[in-house]
Amino acid sequence: MTRRRQLAILVAVAAALPAHAAAAASPSLPPAGPPGAVRVSDENLTTKWAYTADVQPVYSQPDERARRVARLHTLTEDGFPEVYVVLSRWTNPVGNTWLQIRVPKRPNGVTGWVHESGLGSLNTVHKALRINRRTLRITLYDHGRPVFRARIGVGKASTTTPAGRFYIREKFRVSGVPLYGPAALGTSAYAPHLTDWPGGGVVGLHGTDQPGLIPGRPSHGCIRLRNRDILRLYRLVPKGTPVEIV
């Protein structure tokens, strides 16, 4: 082998070493459901939720190199403190803890991971709401036991109420707008079209000035209850309550 050939081989090996070392120092991304993750919410008997503590990115996987799917925000569209349901907790090999959350945004059903520091202390809910679009009924469960039932109005065929797993983000009294009744609950669901919720988009539970349309399919995506029913539900349902729409 000539001296020139030996020199070329040595240069090639030296150039390859840093790349190999860099590859060894860059482990693969953890999966979206990493082994060892602890489920903290079953969205039935026990659900954990928290307010935003720090506006941070939300990632598809528990790693800052993963794709960003959203960003935490402090307020809902109506100006109330934002709420996030926490599904799982995972601590990586170097001791950093991540939380998997439900993200209120379009499209519905987005989940992602944030640093634990992005959220405040966890709150616990033992209630759950189930909304059945076929039977036009809503049921509230407390520790798995039904404690409230009512007939409802949902979205018509052209402006349907979306199905899926959501949660209550906000609660507020309504005055001066008979269309929405005396109280409202905002959810993390978004309708395919604009809803009859103020500002549009968000699927809410609220009262009505047309109780004769309940049960039925009169809305643009929101869930309507008779005023006496929304007032009772308002008292019973805390923020962070999971909502399943079927």
Side-chain angles (χ1 to χ4, degrees):
M1 183 182 297
T2 65
R3 185 176 181 82
R4 179 176 297 177
R5 177 64 174 168
Q6 290 175 333
L7 182 60
I9 292 174
L10 289 174
V11 170
V13 170
L17 284 176
H20 176 75
S26 301
S28 59
L29 290 174
V38 177
R39 187 182 184 188
V40 300
S41 295
D42 61 18
E43 298 180 285
N44 182 21
L45 300 179
T46 300
T47 301
K48 302 285 187 178
W49 66 271
Y51 293 116
T52 304
D54 183 31
V55 176
Q56 298 181 6
V58 182
Y59 299 94
S60 60
Q61 297 155 255
D63 194 294
E64 291 180 352
R65 297 169 297 162
R67 177 175 57 90
R68 294 188 181 189
V69 299
R71 191 173 184 83
L72 295 177
H73 45 271
T74 58
L75 300 176
T76 68
E77 289 88 345
D78 298 299
F80 295 95
E82 186 59 276
V83 167
Y84 292 93
V85 160
V86 178
L87 301 173
S88 302
R89 177 188 286 110
W90 181 68
T91 302
N92 66 18
V94 297
N96 296 322
T97 298
W98 291 78
L99 299 175
Q100 185 186 34
I101 62 173
R102 290 203 177 277
V103 184
K105 66 176 300 241
R106 297 179 186 271
N108 291 320
V110 173
T111 62
W113 292 87
V114 295
H115 287 290
E116 186 178 40
S117 60
L119 298 180
S121 58
L122 299 188
N123 303 277
T124 303
V125 172
H126 296 294
K127 294 181 177 179
L129 273 171
R130 182 179 175 87
I131 295 166
N132 192 311
R133 300 174 299 171
R134 182 180 62 83
T135 62
L136 300 176
R137 289 186 180 275
I138 184 172
T139 305
L140 175 65
Y141 297 88
D142 188 349
H143 290 82
R145 181 173 58 89
V147 295
F148 170 87
R149 290 189 177 95
R151 304 305 298 273
I152 58 173
V154 299
K156 49 183 168 285
S158 59
T159 55
T160 184
T161 300
R165 286 193 171 273
F166 310 104
Y167 60 93
I168 300 297
R169 298 164 65 199
E170 57 189 2
K171 301 173 55 176
F172 55 91
R173 295 281 185 167
V174 179
S175 61
V177 189
L179 174 65
Y180 307 120
L185 306 171
T187 78
S188 62
Y190 289 81
H193 310 280
L194 290 181
T195 67
D196 43 3
W197 189 261
V202 172
V203 173
L205 292 80
H206 59 75
T208 180
D209 60 351
Q210 297 178 295
L213 299 181
I214 296 173
R217 293 175 172 80
S219 85
H220 295 92
C222 284
I223 295 96
R224 298 185 190 179
L225 291 85
R226 295 186 177 96
N227 288 345
R228 66 175 183 270
D229 292 329
I230 191 64
L231 284 173
R232 186 178 173 206
L233 191 65
Y234 186 91
R235 292 192 296 269
L236 293 173
V237 173
K239 292 180 182 179
T241 297
V243 178
E244 183 180 17
I245 303 177
V246 298

